[in-house]
Short mmCIF file of all heavy atoms in Angstrom, two decimals:
data_model
loop_
_atom_site.label_atom_id
_atom_site.label_comp_id
_atom_site.label_asym_id
_atom_site.label_seq_id
_atom_site.Cartn_x
_atom_site.Cartn_y
_atom_site.Cartn_z
N ILE A 422 86.44 119.74 -68.01
CA ILE A 422 86.12 121.06 -67.39
C ILE A 422 84.84 121.57 -68.08
O ILE A 422 83.99 121.98 -67.26
CB ILE A 422 87.32 122.07 -67.84
CG1 ILE A 422 88.53 121.77 -67.03
CG2 ILE A 422 86.79 123.50 -67.63
CD1 ILE A 422 89.69 122.72 -67.52
N VAL A 423 84.58 121.32 -69.30
CA VAL A 423 83.34 121.77 -69.95
C VAL A 423 82.15 120.99 -69.36
O VAL A 423 81.20 121.59 -69.14
CB VAL A 423 83.43 121.74 -71.46
CG1 VAL A 423 82.14 122.05 -72.14
CG2 VAL A 423 84.51 122.61 -72.00
N ASN A 424 82.31 119.67 -69.35
CA ASN A 424 81.15 118.83 -68.94
C ASN A 424 80.77 119.09 -67.54
O ASN A 424 79.57 119.14 -67.17
CB ASN A 424 81.57 117.38 -69.09
CG ASN A 424 81.84 116.93 -70.58
OD1 ASN A 424 81.32 117.54 -71.33
ND2 ASN A 424 82.51 115.76 -70.72
N ASP A 425 81.77 119.43 -66.68
CA ASP A 425 81.49 119.63 -65.29
C ASP A 425 80.87 121.05 -65.18
O ASP A 425 79.91 121.22 -64.43
CB ASP A 425 82.83 119.52 -64.47
CG ASP A 425 83.22 118.11 -64.32
OD1 ASP A 425 82.47 117.20 -64.67
OD2 ASP A 425 84.40 117.97 -63.75
N ALA A 426 81.39 122.06 -65.87
CA ALA A 426 80.94 123.50 -65.67
C ALA A 426 79.43 123.58 -66.14
O ALA A 426 78.67 124.24 -65.38
CB ALA A 426 81.76 124.34 -66.58
N VAL A 427 79.02 122.92 -67.09
CA VAL A 427 77.56 123.07 -67.59
C VAL A 427 76.61 122.51 -66.67
O VAL A 427 75.39 122.73 -66.74
CB VAL A 427 77.39 122.61 -69.03
CG1 VAL A 427 78.36 123.29 -69.95
CG2 VAL A 427 77.65 121.09 -69.11
N ARG A 428 77.10 121.50 -65.82
CA ARG A 428 76.20 120.74 -64.83
C ARG A 428 76.30 121.25 -63.41
O ARG A 428 75.84 120.75 -62.53
CB ARG A 428 76.53 119.30 -64.90
CG ARG A 428 76.15 118.63 -66.23
CD ARG A 428 76.39 117.21 -66.30
NE ARG A 428 77.90 116.92 -66.16
CZ ARG A 428 78.43 115.77 -65.77
NH1 ARG A 428 77.57 114.86 -65.29
NH2 ARG A 428 79.65 115.55 -65.70
N ASN A 429 77.21 122.32 -63.28
CA ASN A 429 77.38 122.99 -61.90
C ASN A 429 76.66 124.24 -61.84
O ASN A 429 76.95 125.25 -62.42
CB ASN A 429 78.93 123.26 -61.84
CG ASN A 429 79.35 123.58 -60.37
OD1 ASN A 429 78.54 124.30 -59.73
ND2 ASN A 429 80.55 123.38 -59.99
N ASP A 430 75.64 124.23 -61.07
CA ASP A 430 74.64 125.38 -60.90
C ASP A 430 75.51 126.58 -60.27
O ASP A 430 74.98 127.76 -60.35
CB ASP A 430 73.49 125.11 -60.04
CG ASP A 430 72.48 124.21 -60.93
OD1 ASP A 430 72.60 124.24 -62.06
OD2 ASP A 430 71.76 123.46 -60.14
N ARG A 431 76.56 126.47 -59.60
CA ARG A 431 77.32 127.47 -58.98
C ARG A 431 78.05 128.31 -59.99
O ARG A 431 78.38 129.45 -59.70
CB ARG A 431 78.30 126.97 -57.90
CG ARG A 431 77.59 126.26 -56.68
CD ARG A 431 78.62 125.87 -55.70
NE ARG A 431 79.24 126.98 -55.11
CZ ARG A 431 78.79 127.51 -54.01
NH1 ARG A 431 77.73 127.26 -53.39
NH2 ARG A 431 79.54 128.59 -53.45
N ILE A 432 78.31 127.77 -61.12
CA ILE A 432 79.11 128.60 -62.15
C ILE A 432 78.48 128.72 -63.55
O ILE A 432 78.88 129.50 -64.18
CB ILE A 432 80.54 128.00 -62.26
CG1 ILE A 432 80.48 126.53 -62.72
CG2 ILE A 432 81.28 128.16 -60.99
CD1 ILE A 432 81.86 126.06 -62.98
N ARG A 433 77.49 127.79 -63.83
CA ARG A 433 76.95 127.72 -65.20
C ARG A 433 76.17 128.94 -65.62
O ARG A 433 75.96 129.24 -66.76
CB ARG A 433 76.10 126.58 -65.44
CG ARG A 433 74.73 126.52 -64.69
CD ARG A 433 73.97 125.25 -65.14
NE ARG A 433 73.98 125.04 -66.54
CZ ARG A 433 73.17 125.69 -67.30
NH1 ARG A 433 72.20 126.49 -66.98
NH2 ARG A 433 73.26 125.44 -68.66
N THR A 434 75.70 129.79 -64.50
CA THR A 434 75.01 131.00 -64.92
C THR A 434 75.88 132.18 -65.06
O THR A 434 75.29 133.23 -65.30
CB THR A 434 74.11 131.34 -63.71
OG1 THR A 434 74.71 131.41 -62.54
CG2 THR A 434 72.91 130.27 -63.72
N ARG A 435 77.24 132.13 -64.99
CA ARG A 435 78.04 133.18 -65.38
C ARG A 435 77.76 133.67 -66.74
O ARG A 435 77.89 132.95 -67.65
CB ARG A 435 79.52 132.81 -65.29
CG ARG A 435 80.06 132.57 -63.77
CD ARG A 435 81.50 132.14 -63.87
NE ARG A 435 82.34 133.21 -64.50
CZ ARG A 435 83.35 133.93 -63.83
NH1 ARG A 435 83.47 133.72 -62.53
NH2 ARG A 435 83.99 134.74 -64.48
N PRO A 436 77.63 134.94 -66.97
CA PRO A 436 77.35 135.44 -68.30
C PRO A 436 78.50 135.32 -69.26
O PRO A 436 78.37 135.37 -70.44
CB PRO A 436 76.86 136.81 -68.12
CG PRO A 436 77.48 137.28 -66.75
CD PRO A 436 77.37 136.02 -65.98
N ASP A 437 79.66 135.27 -68.71
CA ASP A 437 80.94 135.14 -69.49
C ASP A 437 81.50 133.75 -69.58
O ASP A 437 82.57 133.54 -69.89
CB ASP A 437 82.06 136.06 -68.98
CG ASP A 437 82.50 135.54 -67.50
OD1 ASP A 437 81.73 134.95 -66.94
OD2 ASP A 437 83.62 135.90 -67.16
N LEU A 438 80.64 132.73 -69.26
CA LEU A 438 81.14 131.29 -69.14
C LEU A 438 81.78 130.86 -70.46
O LEU A 438 82.86 130.20 -70.41
CB LEU A 438 80.11 130.41 -68.64
CG LEU A 438 80.65 128.95 -68.20
CD1 LEU A 438 81.56 129.19 -67.07
CD2 LEU A 438 79.44 128.05 -67.81
N VAL A 439 81.19 131.07 -71.57
CA VAL A 439 81.80 130.59 -72.81
C VAL A 439 83.22 131.09 -73.02
O VAL A 439 84.09 130.36 -73.33
CB VAL A 439 80.90 130.89 -74.04
CG1 VAL A 439 81.65 130.62 -75.30
CG2 VAL A 439 79.55 130.17 -73.87
N ASP A 440 83.32 132.37 -72.85
CA ASP A 440 84.65 133.03 -73.10
C ASP A 440 85.63 132.48 -72.03
O ASP A 440 86.83 132.32 -72.33
CB ASP A 440 84.58 134.55 -73.10
CG ASP A 440 83.99 135.12 -74.31
OD1 ASP A 440 83.85 134.40 -75.25
OD2 ASP A 440 83.60 136.25 -74.38
N ALA A 441 85.24 132.53 -70.75
CA ALA A 441 86.07 132.09 -69.66
C ALA A 441 86.54 130.73 -69.77
O ALA A 441 87.79 130.30 -69.72
CB ALA A 441 85.36 132.32 -68.26
N ILE A 442 85.60 129.73 -70.09
CA ILE A 442 85.99 128.34 -70.41
C ILE A 442 86.82 128.25 -71.63
O ILE A 442 87.81 127.43 -71.59
CB ILE A 442 84.76 127.52 -70.44
CG1 ILE A 442 84.01 127.39 -69.12
CG2 ILE A 442 85.00 126.04 -70.91
CD1 ILE A 442 84.87 126.86 -68.06
N GLY A 443 86.59 129.03 -72.63
CA GLY A 443 87.43 129.03 -73.84
C GLY A 443 88.85 129.39 -73.53
O GLY A 443 89.77 128.75 -73.92
#
Side-chain angles (χ1 to χ4, degrees):
I422 288 175
V423 177
N424 294 341
D425 289 349
V427 302
R428 294 180 294 155
N429 185 334
D430 288 336
R431 294 183 65 90
I432 60 175
R433 74 175 310 277
T434 56
R435 286 180 62 113
D437 66 335
L438 190 62
V439 171
D440 284 348
I442 292 298

